[in-house]
Amino acid sequence: MAYAVHFAAAVLACWLTAQVLSRSTWTWRSPRVAIVCWQAVGLALGLSAMGLPMAIGLAAYDRPTGGALLALADDLLHGRLPAQVSVVHLSLVGVGFGIGAVLLTTTVRSVHAAVRAQRRHRDLLTLVARDDPAAPGALVLDHPGAAAYCLPGMRPRVVVSAGTLDLLDQAELAAVLTHERAHAQERHDLVLLPFTALCRALPWLRWVHRAHDRVALLVEMRADDKARQLHEDAPLAGALRRFAAAGNRITPAGTLGVGDRDLDVRVQRLLVTGRPPRLLGAAALTLTTNLAALPITLFLS
């Protein structure tokens, strides 16, 4: 039962860590480190949710979960089971595998839905989008609404609308295009994918949805940082203000848009410079990686 206690402690630690991360503002100054922390917490949560019922069901073997699973498989193969292992214990092991199957299935479904939406939109772009020297390297849609987004994938495309060309000046547009290219270069769609899958697998847990929203904001902040490396803060901040004022912003499904989330917070962050909290970020990274390593160790020992 000691291993079940460890898994339960890991689940509780995931919840507590997620609560702290979701309320912390240091993550805004180090979005890349914070994204890695969130990924570690998500991995730990998924493995611990699988391992907890398994460890309870395998308590009679009094060994780490991975070794206990091998022992159970051997016993089932030879038609013998310890006296302490009942149908209830076997059902708990099945629940653990079921949780893993749900997580895997929802991940596959999320990937399929994203790829399908991206393929449909890419086909649409070949019909209605055009090149424009005003937006080098991007496709332009003849739409009056404000739109600037990255269509991720093996062949990522950056798309802006004609309304965006009218909305932004040259410096602001250049900063926005750099922002969108950062999404494609760092594959931020893959960063968000596990959290989308967790939301589908655990739709009743509000803090899982909060984690998804927080990671989505950090992804935008990370792209903002990539843009500010090549451009001054003012053009990007000005572009975000203009997008905030535009009432008809457009971001199709399966894409990552510059005007998606918390524009006021991102503008304030750009205008208030601050050094990344390296010591605090390193401590958080150490804590969350150790948290992710705990269920892995319990499975592999």
Side-chain angles (χ1 to χ4, degrees):
M1 189 61 70
Y3 300 101
V5 173
H6 291 155
F7 276 116
V11 172
L12 178 60
C14 287
W15 180 79
L16 291 174
T17 304
Q19 297 302 312
V20 172
L21 284 175
S22 65
R23 288 171 169 78
S24 298
T25 56
W26 70 263
T27 57
W28 295 357
R29 289 178 286 155
S30 296
R32 180 166 56 178
V33 172
I35 288 170
V36 175
C37 290
W38 274 111
Q39 289 175 317
V41 171
L43 176 62
L45 174 63
L47 292 176
S48 300
M50 290 173 53
L52 179 57
M54 287 184 179
I56 296 174
L58 297 168
Y61 287 96
D62 194 25
R63 65 179 72 180
T65 305
L69 282 172
L70 293 176
L72 175 63
D74 183 69
D75 287 346
L76 290 174
L77 185 63
H78 292 89
R80 63 173 187 267
L81 284 174
Q84 303 92 327
V85 177
S86 65
V87 174
V88 174
H89 293 91
L90 293 177
S91 298
L92 287 170
V93 175
V95 168
F97 280 110
I99 292 173
V102 168
L103 292 174
L104 179 61
T105 301
T106 52
T107 300
V108 172
R109 288 177 57 195
S110 298
V111 171
H112 181 261
V115 170
R116 184 174 57 184
Q118 291 164 9
R119 183 185 298 118
R120 186 185 307 118
H121 194 66
R122 188 171 284 108
D123 292 341
L124 179 63
L125 289 176
T126 60
L127 298 175
V128 300
R130 57 179 172 82
D131 295 324
D132 193 309
L139 295 175
V140 176
L141 288 175
D142 288 318
H143 192 285
Y149 56 86
C150 167
L151 180 63
M154 297 299 294
R155 295 180 294 111
R157 301 306 303 262
V158 174
V159 182
V160 296
S161 66
T164 298
L165 298 183
D166 295 333
L167 184 69
L168 307 180
D169 63 30
Q170 186 175 3
E172 291 169 344
L173 179 61
V176 166
L177 293 179
T178 302
H179 172 103
E180 296 305 330
R181 293 187 185 108
H183 282 318
Q185 292 165 358
E186 299 195 353
R187 292 308 306 264
H188 287 159
D189 55 312
L190 299 183
V191 171
L192 284 170
L193 183 61
F195 297 94
T196 302
L198 276 175
C199 287
R200 287 191 174 189
L202 305 171
W204 58 88
L205 291 182
R206 293 178 56 188
W207 68 271
V208 171
H209 293 272
R210 193 180 305 121
H212 177 276
D213 292 341
R214 181 62 60 165
V215 174
L217 175 58
L218 290 171
V219 160
E220 293 300 325
M221 290 180 172
R222 173 58 184 163
D224 289 342
D225 285 347
K226 295 289 288 185
R228 74 199 303 189
Q229 289 175 6
L230 298 179
H231 309 275
E232 296 181 357
D233 293 344
L236 182 58
L240 294 180
R241 283 200 189 100
R242 293 181 188 272
F243 270 94
N248 52 344
R249 299 193 300 270
I250 303 165
T251 304
T255 66
L256 297 166
V258 69
D260 275 356
R261 298 181 172 273
D262 298 284
L263 294 174
D264 292 338
V265 170
R266 289 163 58 195
V267 169
Q268 180 182 6
R269 173 179 177 269
L270 289 170
L271 298 180
V272 179
T273 58
R275 296 178 59 187
R278 299 185 184 279
L279 185 60
L280 185 57
L285 193 59
T286 301
L287 173 65
T288 53
T289 51
N290 286 332
L291 180 60
L294 175 59
I296 295 175
T297 301
L298 293 175
F299 271 110
L300 298 182
S301 300

